Amino acid sequence: SIIMPQSYTALRTRIDRFSASIHARYTDKIACAPGCTDCCDAGLTLVMIEAVVLGSALHIPEERILLQAGQPPLSEEGRCALLGPDNLCSVYASRPLICRTHGLPLKYPEQDGFTVCELNFVSEKPHSSAVLDMNTVETALFAVNLDYCRRKGLNPLARVAMDRLAFLKSE
């Protein structure tokens, strides 16, 4: 089992705290709840640090996870392979940052304004302080991943498909 780098833990904690504050502030404007899988799509890939952390939660040896680097997703269609038959995430506590930001108002550098799940903020737009700047998140994740990959001698640009981790778990 991998020891999660403190820098990744800190980033994940910041995202979780931001998310919790938005959910508390806009309880009646956010439809996201257990069982909603509208954002849980197949085809998602992870940077190496997140793949190893998630793989560790699935009890997959690190060397098996690393062999999946650069391989395409097994499927680009349908729902996430880590969803259970009850429509709940089987790895919720260890889910990657992309999953932790689902449903939140997100600002990407290449767009004006923000994007948000069509089920949320239907009658009222969130205040700009409730919008998560994904450039900041992605920059922080890139730095954490780069540090991890340098220490392990891995390609920091390599990605691992989440469905490949689900497949390894089921073996």
Side-chain angles (χ1 to χ4, degrees), residues 148-164:
Y148 172 79
C149 288
R150 281 187 176 154
R151 286 187 285 109
K152 293 285 190 170
L154 303 171
N155 175 359
L157 300 179
R159 298 186 70 87
V160 174
M162 284 177 61
D163 63 358
R164 288 185 174 273

Side-chain angles (χ1 to χ4, degrees), residues 94-115:
S94 302
R95 70 198 185 285
L97 296 184
I98 186 70
C99 302
R100 290 170 187 272
T101 63
H102 282 328
L104 296 176
L106 306 175
K107 167 76 175 109
Y108 288 94
E110 66 277 358
Q111 77 183 85
D112 292 328
F114 63 90
T115 185

Side-chain angles (χ1 to χ4, degrees), residues 86-161:
D86 55 2
N87 280 343
L88 297 178
C89 179
S90 65
V91 292
Y92 189 79
S94 302
R95 70 198 185 285
L97 296 184
I98 186 70
C99 302
R100 290 170 187 272
T101 63
H102 282 328
L104 296 176
L106 306 175
K107 167 76 175 109
Y108 288 94
E110 66 277 358
Q111 77 183 85
D112 292 328
F114 63 90
T115 185
V116 68
C117 174
E118 64 188 27
L119 301 176
N120 297 335
F121 298 98
V122 174
S123 62
E124 173 188 335
K125 297 290 182 219
H127 185 270
S128 61
S129 65
V131 178
L132 184 59
D133 182 342
M134 290 307 288
N135 188 49
T136 302
V137 172
E138 290 169 357
T139 299
L141 180 57
F142 182 81
V144 168
N145 186 62
L146 182 62
D147 179 59
Y148 172 79
C149 288
R150 281 187 176 154
R151 286 187 285 109
K152 293 285 190 170
L154 303 171
N155 175 359
L157 300 179
R159 298 186 70 87
V160 174

Side-chain angles (χ1 to χ4, degrees), residues 16-143:
D16 287 347
R17 285 185 180 146
F18 181 83
S19 179
S21 73
I22 300 312
H23 281 268
R25 187 168 155 194
Y26 292 101
T27 303
D28 60 332
K29 305 294 181 221
I30 298 178
C32 299
C36 177
T37 62
D38 284 9
C39 297
C40 305
D41 297 326
L44 294 178
T45 62
L46 306 173
V47 295
M48 293 307 298
I49 183 65
E50 288 202 293
V52 171
V53 167
L54 182 58
S56 177
L58 294 168
H59 308 289
I60 301 168
E62 186 174 9
E63 53 277 358
R64 297 205 60 211
I65 298 164
L66 300 181
L67 290 173
Q68 300 304 312
Q71 298 296 316
L74 297 170
S75 175
E76 297 278 350
E77 301 296 320
R79 52 190 247 147
C80 177
L82 292 168
L83 282 174
D86 55 2
N87 280 343
L88 297 178
C89 179
S90 65
V91 292
Y92 189 79
S94 302
R95 70 198 185 285
L97 296 184
I98 186 70
C99 302
R100 290 170 187 272
T101 63
H102 282 328
L104 296 176
L106 306 175
K107 167 76 175 109
Y108 288 94
E110 66 277 358
Q111 77 183 85
D112 292 328
F114 63 90
T115 185
V116 68
C117 174
E118 64 188 27
L119 301 176
N120 297 335
F121 298 98
V122 174
S123 62
E124 173 188 335
K125 297 290 182 219
H127 185 270
S128 61
S129 65
V131 178
L132 184 59
D133 182 342
M134 290 307 288
N135 188 49
T136 302
V137 172
E138 290 169 357
T139 299
L141 180 57
F142 182 81

